[in-house]
Coordinates of all heavy atoms in Angstrom, one line a residue:
R3 N 1.3 5.7 -0.3 CA 0.7 6.9 0.1 C 0.3 7.7 -1.1 O 0.9 7.6 -2.2 CB 1.6 7.8 0.9 CG 2.0 7.2 2.2 CD 3.0 8.0 3.0 NE 3.7 9.0 2.3 CZ 3.4 10.3 2.4 NH1 2.4 10.8 3.1 NH2 4.1 11.2 1.7
A4 N -0.7 8.5 -1.0 CA -1.1 9.4 -2.1 C -0.1 10.5 -2.1 O 0.5 10.9 -1.1 CB -2.5 10.0 -1.8
T5 N 0.2 11.0 -3.3 CA 1.2 12.1 -3.4 C 0.5 13.4 -3.8 O -0.6 13.3 -4.5 CB 2.3 11.8 -4.4 OG1 1.7 11.5 -5.7 CG2 3.1 10.6 -4.0
A6 N 1.0 14.5 -3.5 CA 0.5 15.8 -3.8 C 0.6 16.1 -5.3 O 1.4 15.4 -6.0 CB 1.2 16.9 -3.0
A7 N -0.1 17.0 -5.9 CA 0.0 17.4 -7.3 C 1.4 18.0 -7.5 O 2.1 18.4 -6.6 CB -1.1 18.4 -7.6
T8 N 1.8 17.9 -8.7 CA 3.1 18.5 -9.1 C 3.3 19.9 -8.5 O 2.5 20.7 -8.7 CB 3.2 18.5 -10.6 OG1 3.0 17.2 -11.1 CG2 4.6 19.0 -11.1
W9 N 4.5 20.1 -7.9 CA 4.9 21.3 -7.3 C 4.2 21.7 -6.0 O 4.5 22.7 -5.5 CB 4.8 22.5 -8.3 CG 5.6 22.2 -9.6 CD1 5.1 22.0 -10.8 CD2 7.0 22.0 -9.7 NE1 6.2 21.8 -11.7 CE2 7.3 21.8 -11.0 CE3 8.1 22.1 -8.7 CZ2 8.6 21.6 -11.4 CZ3 9.4 21.9 -9.2 CH2 9.6 21.6 -10.5
D10 N 3.2 20.9 -5.6 CA 2.6 21.2 -4.3 C 3.3 20.4 -3.2 O 3.8 19.3 -3.4 CB 1.1 20.7 -4.3 CG 0.2 21.6 -5.1 OD1 0.6 22.7 -5.5 OD2 -0.9 21.2 -5.5
L11 N 3.4 21.0 -2.0 CA 4.0 20.3 -0.9 C 3.0 19.3 -0.4 O 1.8 19.6 -0.3 CB 4.3 21.3 0.2 CG 5.5 22.2 0.0 CD1 5.6 23.2 1.2 CD2 6.8 21.5 -0.3
D12 N 3.4 18.1 -0.1 CA 2.6 17.0 0.4 C 2.5 17.2 1.9 O 3.4 17.0 2.7 CB 3.2 15.7 0.1 CG 2.4 14.5 0.6 OD1 1.4 14.7 1.4 OD2 2.7 13.4 0.2
P13 N 1.3 17.6 2.4 CA 1.1 17.9 3.8 C 1.3 16.7 4.7 O 1.5 16.8 5.9 CB -0.3 18.5 4.0 CG -1.0 17.9 2.8 CD 0.0 17.8 1.7
L14 N 1.3 15.5 4.2 CA 1.5 14.3 4.9 C 3.0 13.9 5.1 O 3.4 13.0 5.8 CB 0.8 13.1 4.3 CG -0.7 13.3 4.2 CD1 -1.3 12.1 3.5 CD2 -1.3 13.5 5.6
F15 N 3.9 14.7 4.4 CA 5.3 14.4 4.4 C 6.0 15.4 5.4 O 5.8 16.6 5.2 CB 5.9 14.6 3.0 CG 7.4 14.4 2.9 CD1 7.9 13.1 2.8 CD2 8.2 15.4 2.9 CE1 9.2 12.9 2.7 CE2 9.6 15.2 2.8 CZ 10.1 13.9 2.7
G16 N 6.7 14.8 6.3 CA 7.5 15.7 7.3 C 6.5 16.6 8.0 O 5.5 16.1 8.5
S17 N 6.9 17.8 8.2 CA 6.0 18.8 8.8 C 5.6 19.8 7.8 O 6.4 20.7 7.4 CB 6.8 19.5 9.9 OG 6.1 20.5 10.6
G18 N 4.3 19.7 7.4 CA 3.8 20.6 6.4 C 4.4 20.5 5.0 O 4.5 21.4 4.2
G19 N 4.9 19.3 4.7 CA 5.6 19.0 3.4 C 7.1 19.2 3.4 O 7.7 19.0 2.4
I20 N 7.7 19.5 4.6 CA 9.1 19.7 4.6 C 9.7 18.7 5.7 O 9.3 18.7 6.8 CB 9.4 21.1 5.0 CG1 8.9 22.1 3.9 CG2 10.9 21.4 5.1 CD1 9.0 23.5 4.2
A21 N 10.8 18.0 5.2 CA 11.5 17.2 6.2 C 12.9 17.9 6.5 O 13.5 18.4 5.5 CB 11.8 15.8 5.6
R22 N 13.3 17.8 7.7 CA 14.6 18.4 8.1 C 15.4 17.4 8.8 O 14.9 16.6 9.5 CB 14.3 19.7 9.0 CG 13.6 20.8 8.3 CD 13.4 22.0 9.2 NE 12.5 22.9 8.7 CZ 12.9 23.9 7.9 NH1 14.1 24.0 7.5 NH2 12.0 24.8 7.4
S23 N 16.7 17.6 8.6 CA 17.7 16.8 9.4 C 18.8 17.7 9.8 O 19.5 18.3 8.9 CB 18.2 15.7 8.5 OG 19.2 14.9 9.2
Q24 N 19.0 17.9 11.0 CA 20.1 18.8 11.5 C 21.4 18.1 11.7 O 21.4 17.1 12.4 CB 19.7 19.5 12.8 CG 20.7 20.4 13.4 CD 20.9 21.6 12.5 OE1 20.0 22.2 12.0 NE2 22.2 22.0 12.2
L25 N 22.3 18.5 10.9 CA 23.7 17.9 11.0 C 24.5 18.8 12.0 O 23.9 19.7 12.6 CB 24.3 17.8 9.7 CG 23.5 17.0 8.7 CD1 24.2 17.0 7.3 CD2 23.3 15.5 9.2
R26 N 25.7 18.5 12.2 CA 26.5 19.2 13.2 C 27.1 20.5 12.8 O 27.5 21.3 13.6 CB 27.5 18.3 13.8 CG 28.5 17.8 12.8 CD 29.4 16.8 13.5 NE 30.3 16.2 12.5 CZ 31.4 16.6 12.1 NH1 31.9 17.7 12.7 NH2 32.1 16.1 11.2
A27 N 27.2 20.8 11.5 CA 27.8 22.1 11.0 C 26.7 23.1 10.8 O 25.6 22.8 10.4 CB 28.6 21.8 9.8
S28 N 27.1 24.4 10.9 CA 26.2 25.4 10.6 C 26.0 25.7 9.1 O 25.1 26.4 8.7 CB 26.6 26.7 11.3 OG 27.8 27.1 10.8
S29 N 26.9 25.1 8.3 CA 26.9 25.3 6.9 C 26.3 24.1 6.1 O 26.8 23.8 5.0 CB 28.3 25.7 6.4 OG 29.2 24.6 6.7
D30 N 25.4 23.4 6.7 CA 24.8 22.2 6.0 C 24.2 22.6 4.7 O 23.5 23.7 4.6 CB 23.7 21.5 6.8 CG 24.3 21.0 8.2 OD1 25.5 20.9 8.3 OD2 23.5 20.8 9.1
S31 N 24.4 21.9 3.6 CA 23.8 22.2 2.3 C 23.4 21.0 1.5 O 24.3 20.2 1.1 CB 24.9 23.0 1.5 OG 24.5 23.2 0.2
P32 N 22.1 20.7 1.4 CA 21.6 19.6 0.6 C 21.9 20.0 -0.9 O 21.6 21.1 -1.3 CB 20.1 19.5 0.9 CG 19.7 20.9 1.4 CD 21.0 21.5 2.0
E33 N 22.4 19.0 -1.6 CA 22.7 19.3 -3.0 C 22.2 18.3 -4.0 O 22.2 18.6 -5.2 CB 24.3 19.5 -3.1 CG 24.8 20.7 -2.3 CD 26.2 20.5 -1.8 OE1 26.8 19.4 -1.9 OE2 26.7 21.5 -1.3
A34 N 21.8 17.2 -3.6 CA 21.3 16.2 -4.6 C 20.2 15.3 -3.9 O 20.3 15.1 -2.6 CB 22.4 15.3 -5.1
I35 N 19.3 14.8 -4.6 CA 18.2 13.9 -4.0 C 17.8 12.9 -5.0 O 17.9 13.1 -6.2 CB 17.0 14.8 -3.6 CG1 16.0 14.0 -2.8 CG2 16.4 15.5 -4.8 CD1 14.9 14.8 -2.2
A36 N 17.5 11.7 -4.5 CA 17.0 10.6 -5.3 C 16.0 9.9 -4.6 O 16.0 9.8 -3.4 CB 18.2 9.7 -5.7
R37 N 15.0 9.3 -5.3 CA 13.9 8.5 -4.7 C 14.2 7.1 -5.0 O 14.3 6.7 -6.2 CB 12.6 8.9 -5.3 CG 11.4 8.3 -4.6 CD 10.1 8.8 -5.1 NE 9.0 8.2 -4.4 CZ 7.9 8.0 -4.9 NH1 7.6 8.3 -6.2 NH2 6.9 7.4 -4.2
Q38 N 14.2 6.3 -4.0 CA 14.4 4.8 -4.1 C 13.1 4.2 -4.6 O 12.0 4.8 -4.5 CB 14.8 4.2 -2.7 CG 16.1 4.6 -2.2 CD 16.5 3.9 -0.9 OE1 17.6 4.1 -0.5 NE2 15.7 3.1 -0.3
A39 N 13.2 3.0 -5.0 CA 12.0 2.2 -5.5 C 11.0 2.0 -4.4 O 9.8 2.0 -4.7 CB 12.4 0.9 -6.1
D40 N 11.4 2.0 -3.1 CA 10.5 1.9 -2.0 C 10.0 3.2 -1.5 O 9.4 3.3 -0.4 CB 11.2 1.1 -0.8 CG 12.4 1.8 -0.3 OD1 12.8 2.9 -0.8 OD2 13.0 1.2 0.6
A41 N 10.2 4.3 -2.2 CA 9.7 5.6 -1.9 C 10.6 6.4 -0.9 O 10.2 7.5 -0.6 CB 8.3 5.7 -1.6
K42 N 11.6 5.8 -0.4 CA 12.5 6.5 0.6 C 13.3 7.5 -0.2 O 13.7 7.2 -1.4 CB 13.4 5.5 1.3 CG 12.6 4.7 2.3 CD 13.5 3.8 3.1 CE 12.7 2.9 4.0 NZ 13.6 2.1 4.9
L43 N 13.6 8.6 0.4 CA 14.4 9.7 -0.3 C 15.8 9.7 0.3 O 16.0 9.6 1.5 CB 13.8 11.0 -0.1 CG 12.4 11.2 -0.6 CD1 11.8 12.6 -0.3 CD2 12.4 11.0 -2.1
V44 N 16.8 9.7 -0.6 CA 18.2 9.8 -0.3 C 18.7 11.2 -0.6 O 18.5 11.6 -1.8 CB 19.0 8.8 -1.0 CG1 20.5 8.9 -0.6 CG2 18.5 7.4 -0.6
V45 N 19.2 12.0 0.3 CA 19.6 13.3 0.1 C 21.1 13.4 0.4 O 21.6 12.9 1.5 CB 18.9 14.3 1.0 CG1 19.4 15.7 0.8 CG2 17.4 14.2 0.8
A46 N 21.9 13.9 -0.5 CA 23.3 14.1 -0.3 C 23.7 15.5 -0.3 O 23.1 16.3 -1.0 CB 24.1 13.3 -1.4
G47 N 24.7 15.9 0.4 CA 25.1 17.3 0.5 C 26.4 17.4 1.3 O 27.1 16.4 1.5
S48 N 26.7 18.6 1.7 CA 27.9 18.9 2.5 C 27.5 19.4 3.9 O 26.5 20.0 4.0 CB 28.8 19.8 1.8 OG 28.2 21.1 1.6
T49 N 28.4 19.1 4.8 CA 28.3 19.6 6.2 C 29.7 20.0 6.6 O 30.5 19.1 6.8 CB 27.6 18.6 7.1 OG1 27.5 19.2 8.4 CG2 28.2 17.3 7.1
G50 N 29.9 21.2 6.7 CA 31.3 21.6 7.0 C 32.2 21.2 5.8 O 31.9 21.5 4.7
S51 N 33.2 20.4 6.1 CA 34.1 19.9 5.1 C 33.8 18.4 4.7 O 34.6 17.8 4.0 CB 35.6 20.0 5.5 OG 35.8 19.3 6.7
N52 N 32.7 17.9 5.3 CA 32.4 16.5 5.0 C 31.2 16.4 4.0 O 30.5 17.3 3.8 CB 32.0 15.8 6.3 CG 33.1 15.7 7.3 OD1 34.3 15.8 7.0 ND2 32.7 15.5 8.6
I53 N 31.1 15.2 3.5 CA 29.9 14.8 2.7 C 28.9 14.2 3.7 O 29.3 13.4 4.5 CB 30.3 13.8 1.6 CG1 31.3 14.4 0.6 CG2 29.1 13.3 0.9 CD1 30.8 15.5 -0.2
A54 N 27.7 14.5 3.5 CA 26.6 13.9 4.4 C 25.6 13.3 3.5 O 25.2 13.8 2.4 CB 26.0 15.0 5.2
V55 N 25.1 12.1 3.9 CA 24.0 11.5 3.2 C 22.9 11.2 4.2 O 23.2 10.6 5.3 CB 24.5 10.2 2.5 CG1 23.3 9.5 1.8 CG2 25.6 10.4 1.6
A56 N 21.7 11.5 3.9 CA 20.5 11.3 4.8 C 19.5 10.5 4.0 O 19.4 10.6 2.8 CB 19.9 12.6 5.3
R57 N 18.8 9.6 4.7 CA 17.7 8.9 4.1 C 16.4 9.1 4.9 O 16.4 9.1 6.2 CB 18.0 7.4 4.0 CG 16.9 6.7 3.2 CD 17.3 5.4 2.7 NE 17.4 4.4 3.8 CZ 17.9 3.2 3.7 NH1 18.3 2.7 2.5 NH2 17.9 2.4 4.8
F58 N 15.3 9.4 4.2 CA 14.0 9.7 4.8 C 13.0 8.7 4.4 O 13.0 8.3 3.2 CB 13.5 11.1 4.4 CG 14.4 12.2 4.9 CD1 15.4 12.7 4.1 CD2 14.2 12.8 6.2 CE1 16.2 13.7 4.6 CE2 15.0 13.8 6.6 CZ 16.0 14.3 5.8
N59 N 12.1 8.2 5.3 CA 11.0 7.4 4.9 C 10.0 8.2 4.1 O 10.1 9.4 4.0 CB 10.4 6.8 6.2 CG 11.3 5.9 6.9 OD1 12.0 5.1 6.3 ND2 11.3 5.9 8.3
D60 N 9.1 7.5 3.5 CA 8.1 8.1 2.6 C 7.2 9.1 3.4 O 6.6 10.0 2.7 CB 7.3 7.1 1.8 CG 6.3 6.3 2.7 OD1 6.4 6.3 3.9 OD2 5.5 5.6 2.1
D61 N 7.2 9.1 4.7 CA 6.5 10.1 5.5 C 7.3 11.3 5.9 O 6.8 12.2 6.6 CB 5.8 9.5 6.7 CG 6.8 9.0 7.7 OD1 8.0 9.0 7.5 OD2 6.4 8.5 8.8
G62 N 8.6 11.3 5.5 CA 9.5 12.4 5.8 C 10.3 12.3 7.1 O 11.1 13.1 7.4
A63 N 10.0 11.2 7.8 CA 10.8 10.9 9.0 C 12.2 10.3 8.7 O 12.3 9.6 7.7 CB 10.1 9.9 9.9
P64 N 13.2 10.7 9.4 CA 14.5 10.1 9.1 C 14.4 8.6 9.3 O 13.8 8.1 10.2 CB 15.4 10.7 10.2 CG 14.8 12.0 10.6 CD 13.3 11.7 10.5
D65 N 15.1 7.9 8.4 CA 15.1 6.4 8.4 C 16.1 5.9 9.5 O 17.3 6.0 9.3 CB 15.5 5.9 7.0 CG 15.5 4.4 7.0 OD1 15.3 3.7 8.0 OD2 15.7 3.8 5.9
P66 N 15.6 5.4 10.6 CA 16.5 5.0 11.7 C 17.4 3.8 11.3 O 18.3 3.5 12.0 CB 15.5 4.7 12.8 CG 14.3 4.3 12.2 CD 14.2 5.1 10.9
T67 N 17.1 3.1 10.2 CA 17.9 1.9 9.8 C 19.1 2.4 8.9 O 19.9 1.5 8.5 CB 17.1 0.9 9.1 OG1 16.7 1.4 7.8 CG2 15.8 0.5 9.9
F68 N 19.2 3.7 8.7 CA 20.3 4.2 7.8 C 21.3 5.0 8.7 O 20.8 6.0 9.3 CB 19.7 5.0 6.7 CG 20.7 5.6 5.7 CD1 21.2 4.8 4.7 CD2 21.2 6.8 5.9 CE1 22.1 5.2 3.8 CE2 22.1 7.4 5.0 CZ 22.6 6.6 3.9
G69 N 22.5 4.7 8.6 CA 23.5 5.5 9.3 C 23.2 5.6 10.8 O 22.7 4.7 11.5
D70 N 23.5 6.8 11.3 CA 23.2 7.2 12.7 C 21.9 8.0 12.7 O 21.9 9.2 12.4 CB 24.3 8.0 13.3 CG 24.2 8.3 14.8 OD1 23.2 7.8 15.4 OD2 24.9 9.2 15.2
A71 N 20.8 7.4 13.0 CA 19.5 8.0 13.1 C 19.1 8.7 11.7 O 18.5 9.7 11.7 CB 19.4 9.1 14.2
G72 N 19.5 8.0 10.6 CA 19.1 8.4 9.3 C 20.1 9.2 8.6 O 19.9 9.6 7.4
V73 N 21.3 9.5 9.2 CA 22.3 10.3 8.6 C 23.7 9.6 8.7 O 24.0 9.0 9.7 CB 22.4 11.7 9.2 CG1 23.5 12.5 8.6 CG2 21.1 12.4 9.1
T74 N 24.5 9.7 7.7 CA 25.9 9.3 7.8 C 26.8 10.4 7.2 O 26.4 11.1 6.2 CB 26.1 8.0 7.1 OG1 27.4 7.5 7.4 CG2 26.0 8.1 5.6
E75 N 27.9 10.6 7.8 CA 28.9 11.6 7.3 C 30.1 10.9 6.8 O 30.6 9.9 7.4 CB 29.2 12.6 8.4 CG 28.1 13.6 8.7 CD 28.5 14.7 9.6 OE1 29.7 15.2 9.5 OE2 27.8 15.0 10.5
I76 N 30.7 11.4 5.7 CA 31.9 10.9 5.2 C 33.0 11.9 5.2 O 32.8 13.0 4.6 CB 31.7 10.3 3.7 CG1 30.5 9.4 3.7 CG2 32.9 9.7 3.2 CD1 29.9 9.2 2.4
D77 N 34.1 11.7 5.9 CA 35.2 12.6 6.0 C 36.2 12.2 4.9 O 36.9 11.2 5.1 CB 35.8 12.6 7.4 CG 37.0 13.6 7.5 OD1 37.3 14.3 6.5 OD2 37.5 13.7 8.6
I78 N 36.3 13.0 3.8 CA 37.2 12.7 2.8 C 38.5 13.5 2.9 O 39.4 13.4 2.0 CB 36.6 12.8 1.4 CG1 36.1 14.2 1.1 CG2 35.5 11.8 1.2 CD1 35.7 14.4 -0.3
G79 N 38.7 14.3 3.9 CA 39.9 14.9 4.2 C 40.1 16.3 3.6 O 41.1 16.9 3.8
F80 N 39.1 16.8 2.9 CA 39.2 18.2 2.4 C 37.8 18.6 2.1 O 36.8 17.8 2.1 CB 40.1 18.3 1.1 CG 39.7 17.4 0.0 CD1 38.8 17.8 -0.9 CD2 40.2 16.1 -0.1 CE1 38.4 17.0 -2.0 CE2 39.8 15.2 -1.1 CZ 38.9 15.7 -2.1

Side-chain angles (χ1 to χ4, degrees):
R3 295 180 341 106
T5 57
T8 302
W9 303 113
D10 287 344
L11 293 177
D12 180 349
L14 301 177
F15 180 82
S17 177
I20 298 172
R22 297 183 189 273
S23 179
Q24 181 62 43
L25 302 176
R26 59 187 173 89
S28 62
S29 59
D30 300 342
S31 175
E33 294 153 351
I35 188 168
R37 185 175 184 212
Q38 295 183 174
D40 62 1
K42 291 182 180 183
L43 297 177
V44 177
V45 180
S48 60
T49 177
S51 62
N52 295 340
I53 297 294
V55 181
R57 188 164 69 183
F58 296 91
N59 293 322
D60 67 350
D61 64 355
D65 181 355
T67 68
F68 182 81
D70 182 14
V73 177
T74 190
E75 289 187 39
I76 305 159
D77 182 357
I78 60 172
F80 57 90

